[in-house]
């Protein structure tokens, strides 16, 4: 992960209960200060009850599991994340607004 520029996590209904590797990978990504994109398999555009506790309320962008939304986040979230101050990152979970999804045709 040291050579990674961002992390994509697929969030399903059982992801929050996977404590071994999934939790370790997310914890490592947080420790390394990597931008994290949470793709919700249930189609949610924001953090919901399926979000694993390790990234709940962290500065992670939540998108639906849709190709266009994921591609948008992969292309934009890292630079958005790195522009945020530590105080802004402490504001917690992020999501894109309706206008972004309208522009993506979603």
């Amino acid at each position: 992960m040291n050579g990674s520029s961002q992390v994509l996590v697929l969030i399903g209904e059982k992801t929050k209960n996977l404590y071994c590797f999934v939790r370790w990978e997310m914890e490592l990504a947080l420790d390394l200060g990597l931008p994290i994109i949470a793709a919700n398999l249930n189609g949610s555009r924001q953090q919901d009850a399926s979000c694993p506790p390790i990234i709940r309320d962290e500065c992670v962008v939540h998108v639906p599991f849709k190709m266009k939304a994921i591609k948008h986040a992969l292309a934009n979230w890292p630079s958005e994340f790195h522009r945020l101050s530590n105080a802004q990152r402490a504001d917690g979970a992020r999501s894109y607004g309706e206008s972004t999804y309208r522009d993506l045709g979603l």
Side-chain angles (χ1 to χ4, degrees):
M1 272 203 170
N2 284 329
S4 299
S5 60
Q6 60 189 315
V7 174
L8 175 65
V9 179
L10 302 181
I11 306 293
E13 69 179 61
K14 295 183 182 178
T15 306
K16 67 181 177 184
N17 300 321
L18 300 174
Y19 287 95
C20 258
F21 298 109
V22 174
R23 179 181 171 85
W24 175 81
E25 290 170 345
M26 288 185 277
E27 188 171 33
L28 182 57
L30 290 170
D31 289 346
L32 293 173
L34 294 173
I36 300 173
I37 300 162
N40 296 306
L41 298 178
N42 66 5
S44 177
R45 294 180 176 181
Q46 57 196 359
Q47 178 179 284
D48 63 16
S50 296
C51 183
I54 189 72
I55 61 169
R56 188 173 293 134
D57 300 324
E58 293 289 339
C59 189
V60 171
V61 70
H62 295 263
V63 297
F65 186 68
K66 303 276 185 192
M67 178 76 77
K68 289 181 181 179
I70 293 169
K71 285 177 79 171
H72 176 81
L74 288 169
N76 295 284
W77 179 238
S79 60
E80 293 169 11
F81 177 83
H82 290 300
R83 282 195 303 267
L84 297 172
S85 68
N86 287 337
Q88 290 171 313
R89 288 181 188 177
D91 287 340
R94 305 295 173 120
S95 59
Y96 293 112
E98 265 317 302
S99 62
T100 299
Y101 290 104
R102 190 173 38 255
D103 292 347
L104 294 172
L106 297 173

